[in-house]
Amino acid sequence: AQKVTQAQTEISVVEKEDVTLDCVYETRDTTYYLFWYKQPPSGELVFLIRRNSFDEQNEISGRYSWNFQKSTSSFNFTITASQVVDSAVYFCALSEASNFGNEKLTFGTGTRLTIIP
Amino acid sequence: DAGVTQSPTHLIKTRGQQVTLRCSPKSGHDTVSWYQQALGQGPQFIFQYYEEEERQRGNFPDRFSGHQFPNYSSELNVNALLLGDSALYLCASSLEGAAYEQYFGPGTRLTVT
Protein backbone atom coordinates (compact mmCIF):
# COMPACT_ATOMS: atom_id res chain seq x y z
CA ALA A 1 0.00 0.00 0.00
CA GLN A 2 1.09 3.52 -0.70
CA LYS A 3 1.67 6.01 2.07
CA VAL A 4 2.82 9.61 2.30
CA THR A 5 4.05 11.12 5.55
CA GLN A 6 4.38 14.82 6.24
CA ALA A 7 5.67 14.94 9.79
CA GLN A 8 5.54 18.72 10.08
CA THR A 9 1.99 19.67 10.96
CA GLU A 10 2.58 23.42 11.20
CA ILE A 11 5.52 25.69 10.45
CA SER A 12 5.84 29.43 11.06
CA VAL A 13 8.69 31.53 9.73
CA VAL A 14 9.36 35.22 9.41
CA GLU A 15 9.07 36.68 5.94
CA LYS A 16 12.19 36.36 3.77
CA GLU A 17 13.42 33.30 5.65
CA ASP A 18 13.92 30.03 3.80
CA VAL A 19 11.72 27.08 4.75
CA THR A 20 11.79 23.38 3.86
CA LEU A 21 8.74 21.12 3.93
CA ASP A 22 9.47 17.43 4.37
CA CYS A 23 7.80 14.53 2.60
CA VAL A 24 8.53 10.83 3.02
CA TYR A 25 6.73 8.21 0.95
CA GLU A 26 6.26 4.45 0.85
CA THR A 27 5.45 2.38 -2.22
CA ARG A 28 6.25 -1.05 -3.58
CA ASP A 29 6.05 0.20 -7.15
CA THR A 30 9.23 0.85 -9.05
CA THR A 31 7.53 3.42 -11.26
CA TYR A 32 5.57 6.16 -9.58
CA TYR A 33 4.96 9.90 -9.54
CA LEU A 34 5.34 12.43 -6.77
CA PHE A 35 3.52 15.74 -6.51
CA TRP A 36 3.29 18.87 -4.42
CA TYR A 37 0.06 20.85 -4.17
CA LYS A 38 -0.69 24.15 -2.44
CA GLN A 39 -4.07 24.74 -0.80
CA PRO A 40 -4.82 28.36 0.04
CA PRO A 41 -7.73 29.27 2.32
CA SER A 42 -10.07 29.23 -0.68
CA GLY A 43 -9.73 25.44 -0.68
CA GLU A 44 -8.71 24.80 -4.28
CA LEU A 45 -5.64 22.59 -4.69
CA VAL A 46 -3.02 24.26 -6.84
CA PHE A 47 -0.55 22.02 -8.66
CA LEU A 48 3.10 22.91 -8.05
CA ILE A 49 5.24 20.08 -9.41
CA ARG A 50 5.21 16.49 -10.67
CA ARG A 51 8.22 14.17 -10.60
CA ASN A 52 8.57 10.62 -11.90
CA SER A 53 10.56 8.00 -10.07
CA PHE A 54 13.24 7.83 -12.74
CA ASP A 55 14.14 11.50 -12.58
CA GLU A 56 16.09 12.34 -9.46
CA GLN A 57 17.34 15.68 -10.68
CA ASN A 58 16.57 18.53 -8.35
CA GLU A 59 14.34 21.21 -9.80
CA ILE A 60 14.17 24.92 -9.24
CA SER A 61 11.33 27.18 -10.25
CA GLY A 62 11.80 30.73 -9.09
CA ARG A 63 11.80 30.72 -5.30
CA TYR A 64 10.71 27.08 -5.19
CA SER A 65 13.01 24.09 -5.30
CA TRP A 66 12.52 20.36 -4.84
CA ASN A 67 14.93 17.69 -3.65
CA PHE A 68 14.05 14.11 -4.63
CA GLN A 69 16.09 11.31 -3.05
CA LYS A 70 15.01 7.75 -3.79
CA SER A 71 17.59 6.37 -1.33
CA THR A 72 15.68 7.94 1.56
CA SER A 73 12.22 7.95 -0.12
CA SER A 74 11.97 11.67 0.35
CA PHE A 75 10.72 14.52 -1.81
CA ASN A 76 11.32 17.75 0.06
CA PHE A 77 10.16 21.22 -0.94
CA THR A 78 12.06 24.43 -0.17
CA ILE A 79 10.78 27.97 -0.46
CA THR A 80 13.54 30.57 -0.60
CA ALA A 81 12.97 34.11 0.64
CA SER A 82 9.44 33.32 1.79
CA GLN A 83 6.60 35.77 1.27
CA VAL A 84 3.28 36.24 3.01
CA VAL A 85 1.51 34.93 -0.11
CA ASP A 86 3.21 31.59 0.48
CA SER A 87 1.03 31.02 3.55
CA ALA A 88 -1.09 27.96 2.83
CA VAL A 89 -1.37 24.25 3.47
CA TYR A 90 1.01 22.23 1.34
CA PHE A 91 0.36 18.61 0.40
CA CYS A 92 2.74 16.00 -0.91
CA ALA A 93 1.10 13.22 -2.96
CA LEU A 94 2.02 9.93 -4.62
CA SER A 95 0.59 8.17 -7.65
CA GLU A 96 1.50 4.83 -9.11
CA ALA A 97 2.13 4.62 -12.84
CA SER A 98 -0.41 3.04 -15.13
CA ASN A 99 -1.58 3.00 -18.71
CA PHE A 100 -4.38 5.35 -17.75
CA GLY A 101 -2.02 8.18 -17.03
CA ASN A 102 -4.28 9.46 -14.29
CA GLU A 103 -4.11 7.12 -11.35
CA LYS A 104 -5.51 8.13 -8.00
CA LEU A 105 -3.44 10.36 -5.76
CA THR A 106 -2.47 9.35 -2.23
CA PHE A 107 -1.96 12.49 -0.15
CA GLY A 108 -0.10 13.23 3.04
CA THR A 109 -1.81 15.05 5.89
CA GLY A 110 -0.37 18.39 4.85
CA THR A 111 1.85 21.04 6.39
CA ARG A 112 0.33 24.39 7.33
CA LEU A 113 2.85 27.11 6.53
CA THR A 114 2.45 30.56 8.03
CA ILE A 115 4.70 33.39 6.91
CA ILE A 116 4.87 36.14 9.50
CA PRO A 117 5.24 39.66 8.07
CA ASP B 1 -10.69 28.55 -20.66
CA ALA B 2 -12.89 27.56 -17.74
CA GLY B 3 -11.29 25.44 -15.08
CA VAL B 4 -13.00 22.78 -12.98
CA THR B 5 -16.22 24.05 -11.47
CA GLN B 6 -18.24 22.56 -8.64
CA SER B 7 -21.66 23.24 -7.20
CA PRO B 8 -22.91 24.07 -4.72
CA THR B 9 -20.17 25.85 -2.79
CA HIS B 10 -21.60 25.06 0.59
CA LEU B 11 -24.29 22.67 1.73
CA ILE B 12 -25.88 21.82 5.06
CA LYS B 13 -27.75 18.54 5.45
CA THR B 14 -29.26 16.55 8.27
CA ARG B 15 -28.07 13.10 9.28
CA GLY B 16 -29.86 10.42 7.24
CA GLN B 17 -30.54 12.66 4.24
CA GLN B 18 -29.14 12.26 0.76
CA VAL B 19 -26.98 14.75 -1.13
CA THR B 20 -25.84 15.28 -4.72
CA LEU B 21 -22.72 17.26 -5.59
CA ARG B 22 -21.86 18.35 -9.12
CA CYS B 23 -18.66 18.84 -11.08
CA SER B 24 -17.89 20.18 -14.54
CA PRO B 25 -14.41 19.25 -15.75
CA LYS B 26 -11.90 21.54 -17.36
CA SER B 27 -12.57 22.03 -21.05
CA GLY B 28 -11.21 19.09 -23.04
CA HIS B 29 -10.91 16.74 -20.08
CA ASP B 30 -12.71 13.40 -20.10
CA THR B 31 -11.90 11.91 -16.68
CA VAL B 32 -13.29 13.00 -13.33
CA SER B 33 -12.06 11.95 -9.89
CA TRP B 34 -13.67 12.72 -6.54
CA TYR B 35 -11.86 13.22 -3.22
CA GLN B 36 -13.07 13.74 0.33
CA GLN B 37 -11.05 16.04 2.58
CA ALA B 38 -11.92 15.99 6.26
CA LEU B 39 -10.86 18.95 8.36
CA GLY B 40 -7.14 18.93 8.99
CA GLN B 41 -6.55 15.93 6.72
CA GLY B 42 -5.32 15.32 3.23
CA PRO B 43 -7.78 14.47 0.45
CA GLN B 44 -8.87 10.83 0.24
CA PHE B 45 -9.71 9.27 -3.13
CA ILE B 46 -13.35 8.23 -3.50
CA PHE B 47 -13.66 7.12 -7.14
CA GLN B 48 -12.89 8.01 -10.73
CA TYR B 49 -15.13 8.08 -13.80
CA TYR B 50 -14.15 7.68 -17.41
CA GLU B 51 -16.47 7.04 -20.38
CA GLU B 52 -19.43 7.19 -18.02
CA GLU B 53 -18.17 4.25 -15.96
CA GLU B 54 -16.53 3.97 -12.56
CA ARG B 55 -12.95 2.91 -13.25
CA GLN B 56 -11.27 3.09 -9.86
CA ARG B 57 -12.65 3.21 -6.33
CA GLY B 58 -11.12 4.02 -2.98
CA ASN B 59 -12.07 2.63 0.39
CA PHE B 60 -15.53 4.20 0.67
CA PRO B 61 -18.85 2.45 1.38
CA ASP B 62 -21.57 1.92 -1.19
CA ARG B 63 -23.42 4.92 0.24
CA PHE B 64 -21.08 6.89 -2.01
CA SER B 65 -22.02 6.60 -5.66
CA GLY B 66 -21.46 8.62 -8.74
CA HIS B 67 -22.31 9.22 -12.32
CA GLN B 68 -20.67 10.70 -15.37
CA PHE B 69 -22.67 12.22 -18.19
CA PRO B 70 -21.92 12.21 -21.93
CA ASN B 71 -20.59 15.78 -21.64
CA TYR B 72 -18.06 14.45 -19.05
CA SER B 73 -19.62 16.30 -16.12
CA SER B 74 -20.10 14.23 -13.00
CA GLU B 75 -22.20 13.86 -9.88
CA LEU B 76 -21.33 12.48 -6.48
CA ASN B 77 -24.22 11.09 -4.45
CA VAL B 78 -24.07 10.24 -0.78
CA ASN B 79 -26.98 8.42 0.85
CA ALA B 80 -27.87 8.06 4.53
CA LEU B 81 -25.58 10.87 5.56
CA LEU B 82 -23.53 10.49 8.72
CA LEU B 83 -21.95 13.20 10.82
CA GLY B 84 -18.58 11.85 9.67
CA ASP B 85 -19.41 12.70 6.06
CA SER B 86 -18.89 16.38 6.86
CA ALA B 87 -15.94 17.40 4.70
CA LEU B 88 -14.72 19.33 1.69
CA TYR B 89 -15.46 17.33 -1.46
CA LEU B 90 -13.03 17.99 -4.26
CA CYS B 91 -13.42 17.14 -7.90
CA ALA B 92 -10.41 16.74 -10.16
CA SER B 93 -10.40 16.42 -13.92
CA SER B 94 -7.80 15.06 -16.28
CA LEU B 95 -7.34 13.87 -19.81
CA GLU B 96 -7.02 10.14 -20.49
CA GLY B 97 -3.41 9.36 -21.20
CA ALA B 98 -2.16 12.76 -20.13
CA ALA B 99 0.95 12.78 -18.02
CA TYR B 100 -0.66 12.74 -14.61
CA GLU B 101 -2.06 16.23 -14.75
CA GLN B 102 -5.08 16.53 -12.52
CA TYR B 103 -6.78 19.88 -12.07
CA PHE B 104 -8.85 20.44 -8.95
CA GLY B 105 -11.98 22.45 -8.45
CA PRO B 106 -12.69 24.72 -5.48
CA GLY B 107 -14.67 22.05 -3.69
CA THR B 108 -18.05 21.74 -2.00
CA ARG B 109 -18.13 22.13 1.76
CA LEU B 110 -20.69 19.67 3.15
CA THR B 111 -21.82 19.97 6.75
CA VAL B 112 -23.98 17.22 8.24
CA THR B 113 -25.85 18.12 11.44
Side-chain angles (χ1 to χ4, degrees):
Chain A
Q2 299 179 330
K3 184 178 180 181
V4 176
T5 301
Q6 295 179 256
Q8 303 154 308
T9 305
E10 296 190 28
I11 300 176
S12 294
V13 300
V14 176
E15 193 173 20
K16 297 185 182 177
E17 288 186 349
D18 299 346
V19 58
T20 295
L21 308 183
D22 297 333
C23 173
V24 174
Y25 63 91
E26 297 176 28
T27 179
R28 283 178 282 189
D29 296 327
T30 55
T31 304
Y32 50 89
Y33 287 77
L34 294 164
F35 303 77
W36 275 95
Y37 283 87
K38 174 182 180 180
Q39 188 174 44
S42 62
E44 186 168 345
L45 284 169
V46 178
F47 168 84
L48 296 177
I49 190 171
R50 175 185 64 249
R51 219 62 182 145
N52 73 54
S53 53
F54 296 109
D55 184 359
E56 288 194 70
Q57 283 189 342
N58 292 333
E59 181 159 337
I60 298 175
S61 176
R63 297 184 296 106
Y64 296 170
S65 63
W66 291 269
N67 181 264
F68 176 29
Q69 292 192 343
K70 285 181 74 171
S71 61
T72 56
S73 298
S74 65
F75 186 43
N76 297 336
F77 173 32
T78 297
I79 301 175
T80 303
S82 60
Q83 300 176 3
V84 173
V85 293
D86 296 327
S87 296
V89 181
Y90 290 84
F91 290 97
C92 180
L94 170 68
S95 170
E96 64 183 20
S98 78
N99 294 329
F100 296 148
N102 43 23
E103 278 289 332
K104 66 178 182 180
L105 294 167
T106 298
F107 286 86
T109 51
T111 297
R112 180 177 299 278
L113 176 64
T114 301
I115 309 300
I116 304 167
Chain B
D1 179 21
V4 179
T5 60
Q6 293 186 243
S7 64
T9 305
H10 295 87
L11 202 53
I12 299 174
K13 289 287 189 177
T14 303
R15 190 172 44 186
Q17 286 187 318
Q18 178 264 346
V19 68
T20 297
L21 311 182
R22 296 177 176 81
C23 171
S24 290
K26 181 178 169 65
S27 179
H29 284 184
D30 55 10
T31 303
V32 173
S33 301
W34 286 93
Y35 291 80
Q36 180 196 64
Q37 185 179 13
L39 196 62
Q41 300 296 316
Q44 299 283 320
F45 176 76
I46 303 174
F47 44 51
Q48 181 183 88
Y49 277 84
Y50 171 69
E51 291 190 339
E52 302 180 49
E53 291 193 0
E54 183 182 292
R55 182 163 65 179
Q56 302 179 64
R57 188 178 183 93
N59 188 25
F60 279 80
D62 292 343
R63 298 186 298 107
F64 289 77
S65 63
H67 187 77
Q68 186 180 35
F69 299 94
N71 67 353
Y72 306 122
S73 66
S74 176
E75 289 182 349
L76 163 66
N77 301 294
V78 186
N79 294 322
L81 285 167
L82 304 174
L83 296 179
D85 295 331
S86 295
L88 179 67
Y89 288 85
L90 294 164
C91 169
S93 76
S94 55
L95 181 63
E96 171 72 0
Y100 303 90
E101 294 181 3
Q102 292 195 29
Y103 293 81
F104 283 82
T108 293
R109 172 75 62 188
L110 172 65
T111 301
V112 182
T113 62

PDB file of all heavy atoms in Angstrom, chain A residues 68-95:
ATOM      1  N   PHE A  68      14.590  15.456  -4.573  1.00  0.00           N
ATOM      2  CA  PHE A  68      14.049  14.107  -4.634  1.00  0.00           C
ATOM      3  C   PHE A  68      15.194  13.131  -4.374  1.00  0.00           C
ATOM      4  O   PHE A  68      16.175  13.132  -5.122  1.00  0.00           O
ATOM      5  CB  PHE A  68      13.417  13.879  -6.007  1.00  0.00           C
ATOM      6  CG  PHE A  68      12.907  12.486  -6.248  1.00  0.00           C
ATOM      7  CD1 PHE A  68      12.453  11.681  -5.210  1.00  0.00           C
ATOM      8  CD2 PHE A  68      12.862  11.977  -7.536  1.00  0.00           C
ATOM      9  CE1 PHE A  68      11.969  10.404  -5.450  1.00  0.00           C
ATOM     10  CE2 PHE A  68      12.372  10.703  -7.788  1.00  0.00           C
ATOM     11  CZ  PHE A  68      11.936   9.927  -6.745  1.00  0.00           C
ATOM     12  N   GLN A  69      15.065  12.304  -3.357  1.00  0.00           N
ATOM     13  CA  GLN A  69      16.093  11.307  -3.050  1.00  0.00           C
ATOM     14  C   GLN A  69      15.437   9.947  -2.876  1.00  0.00           C
ATOM     15  O   GLN A  69      14.798   9.683  -1.841  1.00  0.00           O
ATOM     16  CB  GLN A  69      16.857  11.703  -1.787  1.00  0.00           C
ATOM     17  CG  GLN A  69      17.717  12.940  -1.961  1.00  0.00           C
ATOM     18  CD  GLN A  69      18.693  13.162  -0.808  1.00  0.00           C
ATOM     19  OE1 GLN A  69      18.529  12.582   0.256  1.00  0.00           O
ATOM     20  NE2 GLN A  69      19.703  13.973  -1.033  1.00  0.00           N
ATOM     21  N   LYS A  70      15.604   9.079  -3.855  1.00  0.00           N
ATOM     22  CA  LYS A  70      15.012   7.746  -3.787  1.00  0.00           C
ATOM     23  C   LYS A  70      15.627   6.929  -2.658  1.00  0.00           C
ATOM     24  O   LYS A  70      14.959   6.090  -2.067  1.00  0.00           O
ATOM     25  CB  LYS A  70      15.201   7.020  -5.119  1.00  0.00           C
ATOM     26  CG  LYS A  70      14.276   7.523  -6.211  1.00  0.00           C
ATOM     27  CD  LYS A  70      14.479   6.768  -7.501  1.00  0.00           C
ATOM     28  CE  LYS A  70      13.893   5.372  -7.427  1.00  0.00           C
ATOM     29  NZ  LYS A  70      13.899   4.723  -8.753  1.00  0.00           N
ATOM     30  N   SER A  71      16.896   7.160  -2.357  1.00  0.00           N
ATOM     31  CA  SER A  71      17.586   6.369  -1.326  1.00  0.00           C
ATOM     32  C   SER A  71      16.938   6.524   0.049  1.00  0.00           C
ATOM     33  O   SER A  71      16.965   5.607   0.877  1.00  0.00           O
ATOM     34  CB  SER A  71      19.060   6.775  -1.247  1.00  0.00           C
ATOM     35  OG  SER A  71      19.183   8.147  -0.901  1.00  0.00           O
ATOM     36  N   THR A  72      16.337   7.685   0.269  1.00  0.00           N
ATOM     37  CA  THR A  72      15.676   7.937   1.557  1.00  0.00           C
ATOM     38  C   THR A  72      14.163   8.079   1.388  1.00  0.00           C
ATOM     39  O   THR A  72      13.461   8.423   2.345  1.00  0.00           O
ATOM     40  CB  THR A  72      16.222   9.213   2.211  1.00  0.00           C
ATOM     41  OG1 THR A  72      16.070  10.320   1.291  1.00  0.00           O
ATOM     42  CG2 THR A  72      17.697   9.067   2.564  1.00  0.00           C
ATOM     43  N   SER A  73      13.664   7.823   0.175  1.00  0.00           N
ATOM     44  CA  SER A  73      12.221   7.948  -0.121  1.00  0.00           C
ATOM     45  C   SER A  73      11.689   9.302   0.330  1.00  0.00           C
ATOM     46  O   SER A  73      10.673   9.400   1.030  1.00  0.00           O
ATOM     47  CB  SER A  73      11.422   6.827   0.556  1.00  0.00           C
ATOM     48  OG  SER A  73      11.808   5.567   0.069  1.00  0.00           O
ATOM     49  N   SER A  74      12.399  10.330  -0.053  1.00  0.00           N
ATOM     50  CA  SER A  74      11.971  11.670   0.349  1.00  0.00           C
ATOM     51  C   SER A  74      11.851  12.595  -0.861  1.00  0.00           C
ATOM     52  O   SER A  74      12.562  12.431  -1.858  1.00  0.00           O
ATOM     53  CB  SER A  74      12.950  12.260   1.367  1.00  0.00           C
ATOM     54  OG  SER A  74      14.221  12.457   0.767  1.00  0.00           O
ATOM     55  N   PHE A  75      10.957  13.542  -0.737  1.00  0.00           N
ATOM     56  CA  PHE A  75      10.721  14.522  -1.811  1.00  0.00           C
ATOM     57  C   PHE A  75      10.416  15.842  -1.114  1.00  0.00           C
ATOM     58  O   PHE A  75       9.261  16.222  -0.922  1.00  0.00           O
ATOM     59  CB  PHE A  75       9.558  14.057  -2.685  1.00  0.00           C
ATOM     60  CG  PHE A  75       9.317  14.917  -3.901  1.00  0.00           C
ATOM     61  CD1 PHE A  75      10.362  15.380  -4.679  1.00  0.00           C
ATOM     62  CD2 PHE A  75       8.015  15.242  -4.280  1.00  0.00           C
ATOM     63  CE1 PHE A  75      10.138  16.156  -5.804  1.00  0.00           C
ATOM     64  CE2 PHE A  75       7.773  16.013  -5.413  1.00  0.00           C
ATOM     65  CZ  PHE A  75       8.832  16.468  -6.172  1.00  0.00           C
ATOM     66  N   ASN A  76      11.477  16.549  -0.747  1.00  0.00           N
ATOM     67  CA  ASN A  76      11.319  17.752   0.063  1.00  0.00           C
ATOM     68  C   ASN A  76      11.195  19.015  -0.782  1.00  0.00           C
ATOM     69  O   ASN A  76      11.720  19.086  -1.893  1.00  0.00           O
ATOM     70  CB  ASN A  76      12.494  17.895   1.030  1.00  0.00           C
ATOM     71  CG  ASN A  76      12.549  16.748   2.030  1.00  0.00           C
ATOM     72  OD1 ASN A  76      11.537  16.112   2.316  1.00  0.00           O
ATOM     73  ND2 ASN A  76      13.734  16.479   2.545  1.00  0.00           N
ATOM     74  N   PHE A  77      10.525  19.999  -0.235  1.00  0.00           N
ATOM     75  CA  PHE A  77      10.163  21.224  -0.943  1.00  0.00           C
ATOM     76  C   PHE A  77      10.711  22.413  -0.159  1.00  0.00           C
ATOM     77  O   PHE A  77      10.427  22.543   1.025  1.00  0.00           O
ATOM     78  CB  PHE A  77       8.639  21.266  -1.050  1.00  0.00           C
ATOM     79  CG  PHE A  77       8.051  22.532  -1.599  1.00  0.00           C
ATOM     80  CD1 PHE A  77       8.713  23.302  -2.540  1.00  0.00           C
ATOM     81  CD2 PHE A  77       6.797  22.938  -1.180  1.00  0.00           C
ATOM     82  CE1 PHE A  77       8.141  24.456  -3.055  1.00  0.00           C
ATOM     83  CE2 PHE A  77       6.204  24.090  -1.695  1.00  0.00           C
ATOM     84  CZ  PHE A  77       6.878  24.859  -2.625  1.00  0.00           C
ATOM     85  N   THR A  78      11.472  23.256  -0.820  1.00  0.00           N
ATOM     86  CA  THR A  78      12.062  24.425  -0.170  1.00  0.00           C
ATOM     87  C   THR A  78      11.563  25.706  -0.819  1.00  0.00           C
ATOM     88  O   THR A  78      11.544  25.814  -2.054  1.00  0.00           O
ATOM     89  CB  THR A  78      13.593  24.390  -0.233  1.00  0.00           C
ATOM     90  OG1 THR A  78      14.070  23.251   0.503  1.00  0.00           O
ATOM     91  CG2 THR A  78      14.206  25.655   0.374  1.00  0.00           C
ATOM     92  N   ILE A  79      11.144  26.639   0.005  1.00  0.00           N
ATOM     93  CA  ILE A  79      10.781  27.972  -0.461  1.00  0.00           C
ATOM     94  C   ILE A  79      11.879  28.923   0.014  1.00  0.00           C
ATOM     95  O   ILE A  79      12.163  28.999   1.224  1.00  0.00           O
ATOM     96  CB  ILE A  79       9.427  28.427   0.093  1.00  0.00           C
ATOM     97  CG1 ILE A  79       8.326  27.449  -0.338  1.00  0.00           C
ATOM     98  CG2 ILE A  79       9.099  29.845  -0.391  1.00  0.00           C
ATOM     99  CD1 ILE A  79       6.961  27.759   0.264  1.00  0.00           C
ATOM    100  N   THR A  80      12.475  29.619  -0.910  1.00  0.00           N
ATOM    101  CA  THR A  80      13.539  30.570  -0.600  1.00  0.00           C
ATOM    102  C   THR A  80      12.950  31.973  -0.500  1.00  0.00           C
ATOM    103  O   THR A  80      12.066  32.332  -1.280  1.00  0.00           O
ATOM    104  CB  THR A  80      14.611  30.532  -1.698  1.00  0.00           C
ATOM    105  OG1 THR A  80      15.111  29.197  -1.817  1.00  0.00           O
ATOM    106  CG2 THR A  80      15.761  31.475  -1.379  1.00  0.00           C
ATOM    107  N   ALA A  81      13.445  32.736   0.475  1.00  0.00           N
ATOM    108  CA  ALA A  81      12.971  34.112   0.645  1.00  0.00           C
ATOM    109  C   ALA A  81      11.447  34.144   0.698  1.00  0.00           C
ATOM    110  O   ALA A  81      10.789  34.768  -0.143  1.00  0.00           O
ATOM    111  CB  ALA A  81      13.500  35.003  -0.472  1.00  0.00           C
ATOM    112  N   SER A  82      10.897  33.494   1.688  1.00  0.00           N
ATOM    113  CA  SER A  82       9.442  33.322   1.791  1.00  0.00           C
ATOM    114  C   SER A  82       8.702  34.657   1.797  1.00  0.00           C
ATOM    115  O   SER A  82       9.231  35.704   2.221  1.00  0.00           O
ATOM    116  CB  SER A  82       9.112  32.540   3.060  1.00  0.00           C
ATOM    117  OG  SER A  82       9.573  33.228   4.206  1.00  0.00           O
ATOM    118  N   GLN A  83       7.469  34.597   1.317  1.00  0.00           N
ATOM    119  CA  GLN A  83       6.602  35.773   1.271  1.00  0.00           C
ATOM    120  C   GLN A  83       5.269  35.428   1.929  1.00  0.00           C
ATOM    121  O   GLN A  83       4.886  34.258   1.999  1.00  0.00           O
ATOM    122  CB  GLN A  83       6.375  36.199  -0.187  1.00  0.00           C
ATOM    123  CG  GLN A  83       7.646  36.569  -0.924  1.00  0.00           C
ATOM    124  CD  GLN A  83       7.393  36.891  -2.387  1.00  0.00           C
ATOM    125  OE1 GLN A  83       6.242  36.901  -2.861  1.00  0.00           O
ATOM    126  NE2 GLN A  83       8.456  37.195  -3.118  1.00  0.00           N
ATOM    127  N   VAL A  84       4.560  36.443   2.348  1.00  0.00           N
ATOM    128  CA  VAL A  84       3.275  36.237   3.015  1.00  0.00           C
ATOM    129  C   VAL A  84       2.319  35.448   2.122  1.00  0.00           C
ATOM    130  O   VAL A  84       1.543  34.616   2.601  1.00  0.00           O
ATOM    131  CB  VAL A  84       2.659  37.588   3.437  1.00  0.00           C
ATOM    132  CG1 VAL A  84       1.242  37.391   3.966  1.00  0.00           C
ATOM    133  CG2 VAL A  84       3.522  38.274   4.485  1.00  0.00           C
ATOM    134  N   VAL A  85       2.400  35.641   0.825  1.00  0.00           N
ATOM    135  CA  VAL A  85       1.509  34.929  -0.106  1.00  0.00           C
ATOM    136  C   VAL A  85       1.784  33.434  -0.148  1.00  0.00           C
ATOM    137  O   VAL A  85       0.996  32.664  -0.695  1.00  0.00           O
ATOM    138  CB  VAL A  85       1.620  35.509  -1.536  1.00  0.00           C
ATOM    139  CG1 VAL A  85       1.083  36.908  -1.577  1.00  0.00           C
ATOM    140  CG2 VAL A  85       3.047  35.432  -2.058  1.00  0.00           C
ATOM    141  N   ASP A  86       2.902  33.013   0.437  1.00  0.00           N
ATOM    142  CA  ASP A  86       3.209  31.585   0.483  1.00  0.00           C
ATOM    143  C   ASP A  86       2.436  30.884   1.598  1.00  0.00           C
ATOM    144  O   ASP A  86       2.443  29.653   1.688  1.00  0.00           O
ATOM    145  CB  ASP A  86       4.708  31.365   0.704  1.00  0.00           C
ATOM    146  CG  ASP A  86       5.555  31.876  -0.439  1.00  0.00           C
ATOM    147  OD1 ASP A  86       5.096  31.816  -1.595  1.00  0.00           O
ATOM    148  OD2 ASP A  86       6.688  32.346  -0.182  1.00  0.00           O
ATOM    149  N   SER A  87       1.802  31.625   2.459  1.00  0.00           N
ATOM    150  CA  SER A  87       1.034  31.025   3.548  1.00  0.00           C
ATOM    151  C   SER A  87      -0.105  30.179   2.984  1.00  0.00           C
ATOM    152  O   SER A  87      -0.936  30.662   2.219  1.00  0.00           O
ATOM    153  CB  SER A  87       0.450  32.121   4.458  1.00  0.00           C
ATOM    154  OG  SER A  87       1.483  32.851   5.098  1.00  0.00           O
ATOM    155  N   ALA A  88      -0.111  28.911   3.363  1.00  0.00           N
ATOM    156  CA  ALA A  88      -1.094  27.965   2.834  1.00  0.00           C
ATOM    157  C   ALA A  88      -0.822  26.607   3.471  1.00  0.00           C
ATOM    158  O   ALA A  88       0.121  26.444   4.240  1.00  0.00           O
ATOM    159  CB  ALA A  88      -0.991  27.852   1.310  1.00  0.00           C
ATOM    160  N   VAL A  89      -1.659  25.638   3.107  1.00  0.00           N
ATOM    161  CA  VAL A  89      -1.371  24.249   3.473  1.00  0.00           C
ATOM    162  C   VAL A  89      -0.773  23.576   2.243  1.00  0.00           C
ATOM    163  O   VAL A  89      -1.300  23.717   1.136  1.00  0.00           O
ATOM    164  CB  VAL A  89      -2.638  23.501   3.917  1.00  0.00           C
ATOM    165  CG1 VAL A  89      -2.292  22.065   4.301  1.00  0.00           C
ATOM    166  CG2 VAL A  89      -3.289  24.214   5.099  1.00  0.00           C
ATOM    167  N   TYR A  90       0.315  22.880   2.441  1.00  0.00           N
ATOM    168  CA  TYR A  90       1.014  22.227   1.336  1.00  0.00           C
ATOM    169  C   TYR A  90       0.906  20.707   1.495  1.00  0.00           C
ATOM    170  O   TYR A  90       1.155  20.162   2.558  1.00  0.00           O
ATOM    171  CB  TYR A  90       2.486  22.648   1.303  1.00  0.00           C
ATOM    172  CG  TYR A  90       2.664  24.085   0.890  1.00  0.00           C
ATOM    173  CD1 TYR A  90       2.561  25.121   1.816  1.00  0.00           C
ATOM    174  CD2 TYR A  90       2.904  24.416  -0.442  1.00  0.00           C
ATOM    175  CE1 TYR A  90       2.711  26.447   1.436  1.00  0.00           C
ATOM    176  CE2 TYR A  90       3.055  25.731  -0.832  1.00  0.00           C
ATOM    177  CZ  TYR A  90       2.955  26.747   0.114  1.00  0.00           C
ATOM    178  OH  TYR A  90       3.085  28.053  -0.276  1.00  0.00           O
ATOM    179  N   PHE A  91       0.528  20.057   0.403  1.00  0.00           N
ATOM    180  CA  PHE A  91       0.365  18.610   0.400  1.00  0.00           C
ATOM    181  C   PHE A  91       1.355  17.967  -0.555  1.00  0.00           C
ATOM    182  O   PHE A  91       1.541  18.416  -1.682  1.00  0.00           O
ATOM    183  CB  PHE A  91      -1.048  18.227  -0.042  1.00  0.00           C
ATOM    184  CG  PHE A  91      -2.113  18.560   0.954  1.00  0.00           C
ATOM    185  CD1 PHE A  91      -2.840  19.738   0.830  1.00  0.00           C
ATOM    186  CD2 PHE A  91      -2.385  17.705   2.015  1.00  0.00           C
ATOM    187  CE1 PHE A  91      -3.822  20.048   1.753  1.00  0.00           C
ATOM    188  CE2 PHE A  91      -3.364  18.010   2.937  1.00  0.00           C
ATOM    189  CZ  PHE A  91      -4.077  19.201   2.805  1.00  0.00           C
ATOM    190  N   CYS A  92       1.936  16.874  -0.077  1.00  0.00           N
ATOM    191  CA  CYS A  92       2.735  15.999  -0.907  1.00  0.00           C
ATOM    192  C   CYS A  92       1.837  14.818  -1.286  1.00  0.00           C
ATOM    193  O   CYS A  92       0.991  14.377  -0.484  1.00  0.00           O
ATOM    194  CB  CYS A  92       3.951  15.520  -0.113  1.00  0.00           C
ATOM    195  SG  CYS A  92       5.060  14.415  -0.981  1.00  0.00           S
ATOM    196  N   ALA A  93       1.960  14.318  -2.505  1.00  0.00           N
ATOM    197  CA  ALA A  93       1.103  13.219  -2.956  1.00  0.00           C
ATOM    198  C   ALA A  93       1.888  12.247  -3.821  1.00  0.00           C
ATOM    199  O   ALA A  93       2.909  12.597  -4.418  1.00  0.00           O
ATOM    200  CB  ALA A  93      -0.107  13.759  -3.718  1.00  0.00           C
ATOM    201  N   LEU A  94       1.365  11.019  -3.898  1.00  0.00           N
ATOM    202  CA  LEU A  94       2.024   9.933  -4.622  1.00  0.00           C
ATOM    203  C   LEU A  94       1.015   9.254  -5.532  1.00  0.00           C
ATOM    204  O   LEU A  94      -0.156   9.081  -5.173  1.00  0.00           O
ATOM    205  CB  LEU A  94       2.562   8.916  -3.588  1.00  0.00           C
ATOM    206  CG  LEU A  94       3.102   7.575  -4.049  1.00  0.00           C
ATOM    207  CD1 LEU A  94       4.386   7.768  -4.829  1.00  0.00           C
ATOM    208  CD2 LEU A  94       3.350   6.689  -2.837  1.00  0.00           C
ATOM    209  N   SER A  95       1.447   8.879  -6.711  1.00  0.00           N
ATOM    210  CA  SER A  95       0.589   8.172  -7.646  1.00  0.00           C
ATOM    211  C   SER A  95       1.390   7.067  -8.310  1.00  0.00           C
ATOM    212  O   SER A  95       2.522   7.295  -8.721  1.00  0.00           O
ATOM    213  CB  SER A  95       0.057   9.135  -8.708  1.00  0.00           C
ATOM    214  OG  SER A  95      -0.581   8.445  -9.742  1.00  0.00           O
TER     215      SER A  95
END
